């Protein structure tokens, strides 16, 4: 019987209703799929969105791409599992919460630790609900029954277990080591949590006894332990191994001159002051030459001068620099000044200049782990969709440095360790009987630091699946694809690979798909301060999720940044209407005649072509091809022809039904809605939801 469809298609009315229909069907859970037992698994772990705010355009892209993969594979007959999650996001969330506290005239400093933790937990759980709602709005067909939070009990336990195992295996050690310190946030940060900025400074040439050294940080001279020169430098050869007397505004110091091949003869005078307490390179050099590596610092954790700086004690760094320079000038110890442009690491959240500090903290010995990861990549166990990212990955792994995993914040997974109050020595807290430090006899107490959030996120793929004993882990691990933004090529991807290989002896995923950044319509990075942030939720409300998804995918090649323009999305809203009108016309006619073999052949070829694109992650091409076919072939040509040829209707019914299948992964809502109106298939088979129909190629 012909059917009369509503005149207009309304995404706002349809989308939530269809999502409920899918949820009720149970098919997001692979165990409920038809013939689940005989299907092969296909698994994607969703990068857990931070539970501290609204989803942004990057999340929308991630969810769209992953949902496309999952829907395609589900229709192809795989046992598809897509696991959603929520990230407590350690430092990130604490920073968000601190801003909230600031607005309320409060501060986390001086707050009771437990009180602060409980407040952030309540805040996060509240936001988590909001985030989940938004993930649903975007049409994600993920299995909510398996959702994981990064602070779930088993996740915490296994994360701590990994720490203990790595310690036992010699892959984790307790500092002292050089860390990046944010004086505002009062925590150390890993290298990927710092952002280099170009800065114009002054390079000062200082008289150092018989030598002249060049430095941008004259306020740190009180922390010097040596002067270093290149052993090949004829100007300085005679000084190597000798001690020189250096005059400073607070007295004289005796410094040894050392020869080190890494000193650049061309920089400044070729002679460098060595301040291990405040410079990572100097710290490394001091280690190489057996110089003191833990001298008393001249700058404290708040960025103020210490007692060691004599009369400058208590001054902030910038003020101290000014005064030290003035005093040196007054005594004629500054030989010359030079404008100097260099790159300076800053806190990626607040922009404060990073102060390198030597602290007793936990470090991961990266090199042996990186070797595992490089090997897995060489053996083809982990493939990258874009060669470009594979190169970056390889480079990073080949040049990796030890990773500081201690954070001085409460919002995170506690490091299960005891540390000595006196000497800073530490041991995993399985050693419960230890009450005093066996190195110095000092009292030991529980470590109050928490893990760098990437220490637990790095273990996400197997933690989510209930490693080590669950049947999910046995069925769905290693997972198939890890899809994420290109900004996570350092932060996340390498860590997941090393943890996976280390703990499960298998790669966590077989393929890495990285997408580019989503910029505004003019191609500018979205930023709150510029005020050009486009909310995917607003776009969904305005144009429908289907339209947003098409706008995010078409024209978007893997790894390349894209511009998000409202006009483009509006265009796909028109396309949803067009499709509705096509269906409206076809369904109003009797399904008569025979399927035209030529037109069927033409369609089958298109389907094959699109399938090939889908399998090779060319979603932008697949989407464009089906869009083009529906609009320009089916609507503009075949339906026009069909208007005067009744016997074409069976063909049009066939083409509509199968076009809906090809379009479903991209525009799941409107296709499911129309599919539900189609007559049941021939042969008496029950009609099922489009989401579990068979892919037509
Ligand atoms: Zn900071």
């Amino acid at each position: 019987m012909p059917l009369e469809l509503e005149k207009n298609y309304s995404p706002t009315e349809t989308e939530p209703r269809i999502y409920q229909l899918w949820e009720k069907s149970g098919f997001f859970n692979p165990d409920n799929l038809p013939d689940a037992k005989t299907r092969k698994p296909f698994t994607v772990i969703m990068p857990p969105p931070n539970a501290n705010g609204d989803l942004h355009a990057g999340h929308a892209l991630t969810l769209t791409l992953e949902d496309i993969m999952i829907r395609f594979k589900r229709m192809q007959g795989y046992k598809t599992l897509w696991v959603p999650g929520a990230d407590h996001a350690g430092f990130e969330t604490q920073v968000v919460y601190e801003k909230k506290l600031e607005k309320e005239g409060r501060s986390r400093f001086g707050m009771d630790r437990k009180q602060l933790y409980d407040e952030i937990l309540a805040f996060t759980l509240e936001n988590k609900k909001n985030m989940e709602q938004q993930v649903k709005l975007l049409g994600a067909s993920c299995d909510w029954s398996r959702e994981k939070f990064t602070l779930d009990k088993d996740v915490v336990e296994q994360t701590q277990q990994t720490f203990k195992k790595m310690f036992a295996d010699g892959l984790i050690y307790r500092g002292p080591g050089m860390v990046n310190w944010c004086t505002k946030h009062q925590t150390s940060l890993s290298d990927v949590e710092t952002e280099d900025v170009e800065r114009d400074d002054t390079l000062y040439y200082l008289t150092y006894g018989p030598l002249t050294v060049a430095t941008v940080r004259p306020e740190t001279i009180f922390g010097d332990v040596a002067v270093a020169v290149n052993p090949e430098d004829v100007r300085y050869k005679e000084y190597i191994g000798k001690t020189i007397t250096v005059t400073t505004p607070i007295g004289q110091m005796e410094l040894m001159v050392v020869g080190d091949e890494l000193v650049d003869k061309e920089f400044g005078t070729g002679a460098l002051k060595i301040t291990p307490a405040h410079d990572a390179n100097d710290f490394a050099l001091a280690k190489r030459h057996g110089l003191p590596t833990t001298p008393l610092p001249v700058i404290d954790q708040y960025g103020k001068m210490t007692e060691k700086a004599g009369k400058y004690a208590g001054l902030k760094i910038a003020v101290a620099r000014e005064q030290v320079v003035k005093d040196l000038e007054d005594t004629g110890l500054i030989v010359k000044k030079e404008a100097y442009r260099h790159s300076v690491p800053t806190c990626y959240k607040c922009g404060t200049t990073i102060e390198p500090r030597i602290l007793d903290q936990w470090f991961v010995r990266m090199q042996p782990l990186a070797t595992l990861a490089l090997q897995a990549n060489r053996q083809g166990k982990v493939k990258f969709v874009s060669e470009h990212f594979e190169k970056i990955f390889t480079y990073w792994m080949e040049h990796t440095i030890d990773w500081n995993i201690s954070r001085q914040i409460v919002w995170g997974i506690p490091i299960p360790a005891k540390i000595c109050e006196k000497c800073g020595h530490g041991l995993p807290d399985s050693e419960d009987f230890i009450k005093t430090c066996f190195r110095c006899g000092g009292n030991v107490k529980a470590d109050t630091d928490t893990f760098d959030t990437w220490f637990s996120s790095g273990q996400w793929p197997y933690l989510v699946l209930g490693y080590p004993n669950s049947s999910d882990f046995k069925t769905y691990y290693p997972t198939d694809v890890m899809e994420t933004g290109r900004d996570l090529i350092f932060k996340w991807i390498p860590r997941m690979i090393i943890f996976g290989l280390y703990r499960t002896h298998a790669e966590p995923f077989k393929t890495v798909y990285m997408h580019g950044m989503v910029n505004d319509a003019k191609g500018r990075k979205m930023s709150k301060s510029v005020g050009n942030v486009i909310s995917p939720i607003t776009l969904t409300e305005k144009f429908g999720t289907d339209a947003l998804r098409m706008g995010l995918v078409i024209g978007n090649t893997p790894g390349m940044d894209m511009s998000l323009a409202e006009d483009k999305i509006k265009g796909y809203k028109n396309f949803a209407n067009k499709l509705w009108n096509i269906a409206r016309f076809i369904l109003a006619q009797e399904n008569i005649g025979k399927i035209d073999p030529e037109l069927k052949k033409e369609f089958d070829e298109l389907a094959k072509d699109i399938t090939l694109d889908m399998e090779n992650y060319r979603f932008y091409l697949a989407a464009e091809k089906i869009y083009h076919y529906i609009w320009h072939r089916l609507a503009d040509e075949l339906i026009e022809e069909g208007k005067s040829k009744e016997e074409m209707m069976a063909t049009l019914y066939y083409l509509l039904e199968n076009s809906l299948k090809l379009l479903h992964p991209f525009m799941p809502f409107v296709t499911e809605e129309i599919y539900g109106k189609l007559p049941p298939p021939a042969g008496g088979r029950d009609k099922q939801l489009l989401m579990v129909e068979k892919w037509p190629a």
Side-chain angles (χ1 to χ4, degrees), residues 91 182 184-185 347 349-350 352:
F91 182 58
C182 174
K184 172 173 160 65
H185 285 117
C347 168
K349 280 286 150 194
C350 68
T352 304

Side-chain angles (χ1 to χ4, degrees), residues 65 84 203 251 259 264 285 299 346 368 398 429 512 514 542:
L65 288 168
L203 187 62
D264 179 2
L285 185 142
I299 296 164
T346 60
E398 282 167 352
D429 74 355
V512 178
M514 310 212 78
K542 226 165 148 180

Side-chain angles (χ1 to χ4, degrees), residues 148-185:
K148 274 272 170 212
F149 178 41
T150 53
L151 292 181
D152 281 348
K153 193 164 166 276
D154 55 328
V155 172
V156 171
E157 276 169 12
Q158 279 303 325
T159 300
Q160 295 182 330
Q161 202 51 45
T162 302
F163 171 80
K164 290 174 190 174
K165 182 172 153 52
M166 289 175 83
F167 182 83
D169 289 346
L171 289 167
I172 281 183
Y173 62 92
R174 179 88 182 150
M178 187 51 87
V179 304
N180 302 302
W181 184 262
C182 174
T183 53
K184 172 173 160 65
H185 285 117

Side-chain angles (χ1 to χ4, degrees), residues 595-654:
I595 297 172
D596 179 304
E598 279 304 306
L599 290 176
K600 181 177 182 302
K601 192 166 163 262
E602 179 194 88
F603 182 85
D604 289 350
E605 263 158 33
L606 171 77
K608 254 188 238 153
D609 189 27
I610 287 178
T611 306
L612 207 61
D613 286 332
M614 298 293 278
E615 273 164 354
N616 290 290
Y617 303 95
R618 299 187 295 257
F619 306 120
Y620 61 105
L621 280 182
E624 203 168 327
K625 282 174 188 169
I626 185 61
Y627 167 89
H628 183 78
Y629 178 83
I630 290 173
W631 195 302
H632 300 296
R633 181 72 177 139
L634 183 59
D636 288 355
E637 295 171 3
L638 302 179
I639 287 186
E640 284 312 310
E641 203 184 321
K643 280 181 181 165
S644 53
K645 275 196 217 160
E646 225 179 19
E647 68 274 20
M648 263 189 81
M649 287 321 299
T651 306
L652 292 179
Y653 265 89
Y654 173 86

Side-chain angles (χ1 to χ4, degrees), residues 34-139:
D35 311 314
K37 286 211 171 69
T38 56
R39 289 178 177 228
K40 273 204 304 192
F42 177 85
T43 314
V44 175
I45 307 294
M46 182 189 295
N50 293 354
N52 60 20
D54 292 322
L55 295 189
H56 54 63
H59 289 121
L61 179 56
T62 281
L63 293 169
T64 299
L65 288 168
E66 290 171 25
D67 195 48
I68 289 169
M69 294 180 202
I70 286 288
R71 284 183 188 273
F72 167 60
K73 288 288 176 183
R74 191 185 289 122
M75 292 176 81
Q76 269 197 329
Y78 285 83
K79 191 172 173 175
T80 43
L81 173 61
W82 185 18
V83 191
D87 194 351
H88 73 284
F91 182 58
E92 291 262 339
T93 301
Q94 180 153 325
V95 169
V96 172
Y97 199 73
E98 264 175 43
K99 281 192 188 142
K100 183 171 159 348
L101 286 173
E102 257 171 48
K103 269 189 202 147
E104 297 166 5
R106 300 160 72 201
S107 158
R108 80 165 154 113
F109 301 108
M111 248 173 107
D112 176 62
R113 287 179 67 88
K114 171 131 191 353
Q115 160 91 17
L116 178 62
Y117 184 92
D118 289 347
E119 281 190 27
I120 303 180
L121 180 63
F123 169 80
T124 303
L125 293 180
E126 200 45 47
N127 272 295
K128 182 170 168 280
K129 282 187 247 162
N130 172 55
M131 181 273 285
E132 288 158 357
Q133 225 25 61
Q134 297 187 344
V135 170
K136 290 181 180 185
L137 264 180
L138 294 169

Side-chain angles (χ1 to χ4, degrees), residues 393-405:
F393 165 80
T394 313
Y395 183 86
W396 195 74
M397 281 300 192
E398 282 167 352
H399 297 84
T400 182
I401 56 169
D402 287 359
W403 170 26
N404 165 22
I405 52 169

